[in-house]
Structure formats: structure tokens, C-alpha cells
């Protein structure tokens, strides 16, 4: 699910306003956008990128590694199914407010086809200096710089803040994975941690979590015994129970999903949990992870 400059990317919904705008921004980051898909718009070009009616048509003309969906919630299921059945292995689904039954169906089809869905309600993926797939500001050097810290976040805005704090503290990122903030997701925090651990450029991991669900507790089980320096920040620690805060998945129910249970699980796995994002750099140094010379020098 880590998309680099070598991977070929499709943009579904490329002819819409957001699709056009973010295609240009993604290309500025080095993303190799080779095709777009918008029903009824075949034969057009957007920023020099050829447009096809469907992902299947685009896949017949290009070897595609990933796709990003700039489509409304009502069309998301069909777009994901189209991409999965076309053999595209990484599918980045940005839309939120997709009906739950649509999400369950599209994730089931993706699994059957061997595809990984990132999202729904994700801000996307970034490999600084190489690519950005989605709506993260991968083009901003004060937020993303090449480095060795892998970042996984449920929130795009909090992920942006944490990445900016990392750069300010002298660190850079090996990759950013936005898993999304909905209750039903194709990629979990634990999945993202596994991907970052397997990524050779990653020296340490930062988890940006929030209340609700059990993803951070599940990730703690994966982290235990890995020996990878890991820092976490959990948002919503002062939120009252049974009240949704921000994302649809940010609601505490039952005996899991609270800030306290997440913090306890992560600390039990050897993770340094900070109270505010600006403490992440100090926590990384405390784990023996030094700043990255190129970033610290402003390179």
C-alpha cells in the first residue's frame, strides 16, 4: 500500500474540479499519474493524462499499480469494484459518508480480487520526495521531508500536524499512511504498522490515533516484540463516553476504545505515548532515534 514514484497511478473522477486540482498537486509531488477514469468522458485529457470511461478500460491500456477515487459517496462502491475487478491492487478511497452496506460490499469484492482498500474517509498516502496519492499536502516542505519515520494516522488534519512537528523537530518521513476515520475500514492501523515495518526506509513509527474502535489496541499487539521504536498520540482523551467526536469512528462504546485503554495497551507494548503532538520529537530522541541530517540542515 506504499506508493512510490515508480508506481503507475489512476485517478478515478479526474475530470471533476477536485480530481483536476489534486491530479496536478500529486504530479508536483512526483506521483506518476498515467490515466484517469470518468464515465462518459473517454478520449479527453486532464493535464496531459488520458481519460477513460472506466478503470477496466484504463487497466487495459496501462499497467496500473494504484488508484485514487475523487468520486461522491453514492458512486464509491461502483468505483472501488471497477478498480478491484480491473486488477488494481491499491485503492485509495477518499469519500466519507458512504453507506455502511456499500462499504461492506466493496471491501468484500476487493478482498476477493486481492486488492487493498485504504479508507474510506482517508486523506491518502505520501512518500516524501516521491509521491502523494490523495489530498495530503505532500508538496509542502515544512510538512513532508524525506526521512526515516513512518507515520500512520486516522485523521488527515492531525496527521498533517504531526508531520509538520516532525519536520520542525529535525525529522523526516519514510511514508505516511492515512487509514481513515470511518468505523469500517479496508486498512487498519495494525495493517499500516506492518506495511511500515516492512518498508526498508522506516527506522521508527509514529501512530496518530483517536478514541473509538479498537485499532490502536490491535496495533499494540502487533508492535509487541517488534523492537521498532514507536511513539503514539491519542486524540480525544477528554471526550465524554458515548458521544461521537469528529470522525464517525470516534465514539467510545463498551470496554474498549477509550483513551485510557488505548494508552494502556500501547504503553504495555513499549510505545512512548505523548500528551501533545509537539512532544513527539523529544519522545523519538528518548527512544534513541536521532534527527535526520538532511532535514535538520534544511535540505
Amino acid at each position: 500500500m506504499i506508493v512510490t514514484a515508480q508506481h503507475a497511478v489512476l485517478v478515478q473522477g479526474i475530470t471533476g474540479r477536485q480530481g483536476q486540482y489534486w491530479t496536478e498537486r500529486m504530479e508536483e509531488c512526483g506521483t506518476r499519474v498515467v490515466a484517469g477514469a470518468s464515465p462518459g468522458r473517454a478520449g479527453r485529457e486532464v493535464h496531459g493524462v488520458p481519460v477513460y470511461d472506466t478503470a477496466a478500460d484504463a487497466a487495459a491500456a496501462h499497467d496500473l499499480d494504484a488508484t485514487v477515487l475523487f468520486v461522491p459517496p453514492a458512486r464509491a462502491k461502483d468505483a472501488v469494484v471497477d478498480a478491484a475487478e480491473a486488477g488494481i491492487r491499491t485503492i485509495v478511497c477518499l469519500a466519507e459518508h458512504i453507506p455502511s452496506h456499500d462499504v461492506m460490499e466493496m471491501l468484500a469484492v476487493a478482498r476477493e480480487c486481492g486488492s487493498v482498500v485504504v479508507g474510506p474517509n482517508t486523506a491518502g498516502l505520501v512518500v516524501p520526495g516521491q509521491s502523494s496519492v490523495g489530498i495530503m499536502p505532500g508538496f509542502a516542505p515544512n510538512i513532508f521531508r524525506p526521512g526515516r519515520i513512518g507515520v500512520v494516522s486516522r485523521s488527515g488534519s492531525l496527521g498533517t500536524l504531526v508531520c509538520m512537528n516532525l519536520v520542525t523537530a529535525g525529522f523526516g518521513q519514510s511514508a505516511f499512511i492515512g487509514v481513515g476515520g470511518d468505523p469500517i475500514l479496508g486498512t487498519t492501523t495494525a495493517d499500516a504498522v506492518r506495511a511500515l515495518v516492512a518498508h526498508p526506509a522506516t527506522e521508527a513509527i509514529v501512530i496518530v490515533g483517536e478514541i473509538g474502535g479498537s485499532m490502536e489496541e490491535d496495533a499494540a499487539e502487533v508492535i509487541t516484540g517488534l523492537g521498532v521504536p514507536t511513539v503514539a498520540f491519542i486524540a480525544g482523551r477528554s471526550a465524554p463516553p458515548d458521544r461521537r467526536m469528529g470522525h464517525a469512528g470516534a465514539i467510545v462504546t463498551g470496554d474498549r476504545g477509550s483513551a485510557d485503554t488505548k494508552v494502556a495497551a500501547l504503553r504495555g507494548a513499549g510505545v512512548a505515548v505523548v500528551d501533545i503532538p509537539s512532544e513527539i520529537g523529544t519522545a523519538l530522541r528518548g527512544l534513541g532515534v536521532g534527527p535526520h541530517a538532511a532535514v535538520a540542515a534544511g535540505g
Side-chain angles (χ1 to χ4, degrees):
M1 74 181 74
I2 294 175
V3 179
T4 69
Q6 287 71 46
H7 293 111
V9 176
L10 169 71
V11 178
Q12 292 173 263
I14 193 171
T15 56
R17 181 180 300 176
Q18 292 298 316
Q20 293 184 53
Y21 174 81
W22 283 103
T23 293
E24 192 171 22
R25 301 290 81 73
M26 289 188 291
E27 288 182 325
E28 287 177 6
C29 298
T31 311
R32 193 161 72 94
V33 180
V34 300
S38 290
R41 305 295 176 89
R44 300 189 182 190
E45 287 191 354
V46 173
H47 305 307
V49 175
V51 179
Y52 301 84
D53 280 332
T54 65
D57 291 341
H62 305 269
D63 292 327
L64 299 172
D65 300 297
T67 183
V68 56
L69 279 60
F70 290 90
V71 302
R75 287 182 49 206
K77 181 189 75 173
D78 290 343
V80 169
V81 170
D82 181 21
E85 292 181 343
I88 302 173
R89 292 294 174 253
T90 299
I91 302 170
V92 179
C93 183
L94 305 174
E96 59 179 324
H97 305 306
I98 303 172
S100 295
H101 58 275
D102 282 0
V103 175
M104 290 187 286
E105 183 177 346
M106 72 190 199
L107 294 183
V109 172
R111 283 192 297 269
E112 290 174 1
C113 295
S115 299
V116 172
V117 176
V118 182
N121 195 9
T122 176
L125 311 170
V126 181
V127 175
Q130 294 196 48
S131 69
S132 178
V133 181
I135 56 174
M136 289 294 288
F139 48 82
N142 65 321
I143 298 173
F144 285 104
R145 300 266 183 101
R148 300 190 299 274
I149 309 301
V151 181
V152 51
S153 178
R154 288 168 65 175
S155 166
S157 56
L158 283 174
T160 299
L161 174 63
V162 164
C163 287
M164 183 175 67
N165 282 324
L166 281 170
V167 170
T168 300
F171 295 89
Q173 306 90 11
S174 59
F176 171 89
I177 300 175
V179 296
D182 276 6
I184 307 171
L185 295 170
T187 298
T188 66
T189 299
D191 294 332
V193 167
R194 292 187 187 97
L196 291 170
V197 169
H199 186 43
T202 300
E203 176 186 357
I205 293 173
V206 172
I207 295 173
V208 187
E210 58 189 44
I211 59 168
S214 62
M215 287 204 299
E216 291 81 3
E217 289 98 328
D218 296 338
E221 296 178 8
V222 172
I223 293 166
T224 300
L226 285 178
V228 178
T230 305
V231 176
F233 166 70
I234 305 297
R237 293 174 71 171
S238 61
D242 299 319
R243 180 177 298 176
R244 181 171 66 84
M245 305 293 289
H247 290 139
I251 181 171
V252 180
T253 57
D255 58 358
R256 298 190 83 186
S258 72
D260 289 343
T261 60
K262 292 176 187 293
V263 169
L266 289 164
R267 285 181 172 157
V271 176
V273 181
V274 299
D275 293 325
I276 53 176
S278 60
E279 296 175 344
I280 290 174
T282 301
L284 285 168
R285 288 182 173 87
L287 295 174
V289 182
H292 307 153
V295 177

